[in-house]
Amino acid sequence: VDIKDPELGIGSSVDRGAEADDYVEEISTETYLTYRVQPLLSYYYTVGPRLSWWQTALELLVIISATVGTVLSAFGYYSLIPITVAFGGVIVATEHHMRLAGRIVAVNNAISELEDIISLSSALGKMEKRIGSFKSMVVQRTEAAVLGEAVAAAGITQFRKGGTGTDSGDQKPGGKHQTGKAQAGRNSKK
């Protein structure tokens, strides 16, 4: 059976042993692995090399730009050097805007995590896979892997569980912001 996932824009072959996932009803671990984990893994196998290619191409353009600037300087074309420097700056800014380095690390971590989930699942029997704690672990680890890549793509540098991911001040349980000495005192204990 071929699955076309509209959210991921990918298709993958799946085992006929799993019931269909309608994305609404509760599903078994086998169905979750078949319809969600395996397509995600296929997606990351596709995205990882693309991101790596873009990073390599942009870094190569920076090197070429610097080399052209050096050659122009050696031949006395000093008025053209700022153009090569500006071009190199645009390329570096583009690479940072695309957040390639962090995304590649996050995609590789997601691939490792999803492969580990599939490997662990394949070592267990049908009854062991249906235990609630195993189902929860599979879902949590899968969602953490996907969230890690999403956070890297969004460029969020600090992410707190249950928080907004921004650094605008921590909140006390009552909903009041901690600022100044209270927050500094708490941060110094870490």
Side-chain angles (χ1 to χ4, degrees), residues 19-106:
E19 70 266 14
D21 182 9
D22 61 2
Y23 297 100
V24 177
E25 300 294 324
E26 185 176 339
I27 57 175
S28 68
T29 306
E30 293 89 354
T31 301
Y32 187 85
L33 290 167
T34 302
Y35 283 89
R36 299 192 188 174
V37 175
Q38 289 176 345
L40 279 170
L41 188 58
S42 297
Y43 170 74
Y44 287 133
Y45 276 138
T46 303
V47 168
R50 273 193 248 152
L51 293 174
S52 181
W53 183 90
W54 273 107
Q55 184 179 30
T56 302
L58 292 175
E59 288 176 353
L60 185 61
L61 285 174
V62 170
I63 292 170
I64 290 170
S65 175
T67 304
V68 168
T70 303
V71 170
L72 289 173
S73 173
F75 289 115
Y77 294 104
Y78 303 111
S79 61
L80 297 177
I81 294 173
I83 295 171
T84 62
V85 172
F87 180 73
V90 167
I91 298 301
V92 169
T94 301
E95 184 177 356
H96 285 179
H97 176 73
M98 294 175 72
R99 297 174 178 90
L100 293 172
R103 289 178 67 192
I104 290 169
V105 169

